[in-house]
Amino acid sequence: MISFSKVVVEKGDRVILRDINVELHEKRVGIIGRNGSGKSTFARLFNGLEKPTSGTISFDGSTEPKDLRGKVGFVFQNPDNQIVYPIVGEDLAFGLKNMKLSKTAIEERIAEVTARFQIEHLQDRLTHQLSGGERQMVALVGVLVMQPQMIIFDEPTTLLDLWNKRRLMRAITDLQEHVVLISHDLDLLRQFDRVIHIEAGRIVGDGEPNAVIDDYIARSE
Ligand SMILES: Nc1ncnc2c1ncn2[C@@H]1O[C@H](COP(=O)(O)OP(=O)(O)OP(=O)(O)O)[C@@H](O)[C@H]1O
């Protein structure tokens, strides 16, 4: 599905990611690693938010940036980075309008996804008045209405209380789409299909979650 070949990311004279070669087909992939190891940079490559200094990233065989952007959605740690319009309904419609969908088609898509996540009642609210949990659900729904095949989550529960954290995690677990989740919630990632461990810009562990996570914990001790 998505494939990284000899990918390197440099910023100034710093090498942030080194020689990343990986193919992902699994439905649920977790990414772990210490602060500053390169997880966010890796995740941002998936939908073209970050460009590799060298190497290639392809989605279903295509290396076109527009295919990455169209097929892979990205949910930020802080939903304020992603919600741009003052009213929830406008914000959810923004990407769909750019896709030149009809008004009816836009309304139908938004109605379907907001109902699925029980946020229909938020449609007319001002985005800046929403709670953190509501904002994060709006950000997720804003990505889902675009019907991506894969969704990348960069520590999406960091700002949430326990209740909203569980609600969002249930929502993520129930998604039909392929999910790549950066998280420090190791118990959750043990239920995933695959976990990738990044250290100092390299993949140092990759495979069955329990084995990769146990090795990660052992290295921290
Ligand atoms: N624009 C930049 N210029 C220089 N260094 C950068 C830049 N962006 C990121 N870095 C560095 O790259 C490294 C990896 O950053 P990244 O955000 O990918 O790490 P991370 O694993 O997601 O960290 P965290 O868990 O703290 O969010 C860090 O050392 C960071 O300081």
Side-chain angles (χ1 to χ4, degrees):
M1 175 163 235
I2 195 158
S3 164
F4 291 69
S5 172
K6 299 184 182 162
V7 169
V8 174
V9 175
E10 293 171 358
K11 306 258 184 196
D13 56 3
R14 291 195 57 193
V15 183
I16 312 291
L17 290 175
R18 304 157 194 270
D19 198 28
I20 303 288
N21 294 288
V22 73
E23 269 189 37
L24 306 184
H25 301 280
E26 296 77 4
K27 201 101 197 210
R28 298 285 177 262
V29 177
I31 300 177
I32 57 175
R34 297 166 68 143
N35 291 133
S37 54
K39 304 181 297 298
S40 289
T41 308
F42 179 49
R44 291 163 64 86
L45 288 166
F46 278 76
N47 77 334
L49 281 170
E50 188 85 51
K51 299 267 179 292
T53 309
S54 61
T56 54
I57 299 158
S58 60
F59 195 98
D60 287 345
S62 165
T63 54
E64 284 289 320
K66 74 169 174 25
D67 284 335
L68 281 185
R69 274 199 307 278
K71 290 178 175 169
V72 185
F74 195 100
V75 177
F76 291 85
Q77 181 177 67
N78 185 345
D80 294 345
N81 290 335
Q82 139 167 33
I83 296 175
V84 286
Y85 280 86
I87 297 172
V88 170
E90 282 178 357
D91 194 78
L92 296 177
F94 160 68
L96 297 172
K97 281 187 182 159
N98 277 347
M99 286 168 69
K100 308 263 187 287
L101 292 188
S102 72
K103 193 162 178 280
T104 317
I106 291 175
E107 284 169 3
E108 279 173 8
R109 267 209 212 178
I110 292 177
E112 188 261 312
V113 189
T114 52
R116 184 145 58 101
F117 293 91
Q118 293 154 18
I119 61 159
E120 307 100 308
H121 60 290
L122 298 181
Q123 284 225 49
D124 298 324
R125 296 272 303 275
L126 291 168
T127 47
H128 76 271
Q129 289 178 353
L130 300 176
S131 75
E134 289 169 339
R135 260 202 289 273
Q136 195 52 288
M137 291 310 278
V138 168
L140 170 58
V141 166
V143 169
L144 285 174
V145 293
M146 302 299 289
Q147 301 185 340
Q149 294 181 25
M150 175 180 265
I151 306 176
I152 316 302
F153 293 89
D154 189 352
E155 299 186 52
T157 60
T158 312
L159 305 174
L160 301 182
D161 65 23
L162 188 58
W163 193 90
N164 276 305
K165 182 176 165 178
R166 290 201 176 133
R167 180 166 176 235
L168 183 65
M169 279 310 172
R170 261 198 308 275
I172 293 174
T173 311
D174 291 346
L175 288 175
Q176 294 303 308
E177 294 79 2
H178 286 246
V179 166
V180 175
L181 174 68
I182 299 181
S183 178
H184 297 289
D185 186 342
L186 301 179
D187 289 334
L188 176 81
L189 295 184
R190 285 185 191 277
Q191 298 156 37
F192 272 37
D193 302 317
R194 174 174 175 184
V195 169
I196 294 176
H197 172 191
I198 297 186
E199 272 331 319
R202 290 179 203 279
I203 294 178
V204 296
D206 180 4
E208 196 278 315
N210 286 325
V212 175
I213 290 169
D214 289 344
D215 175 64
Y216 176 58
I217 294 170
R219 284 170 187 245
S220 73
E221 284 166 354

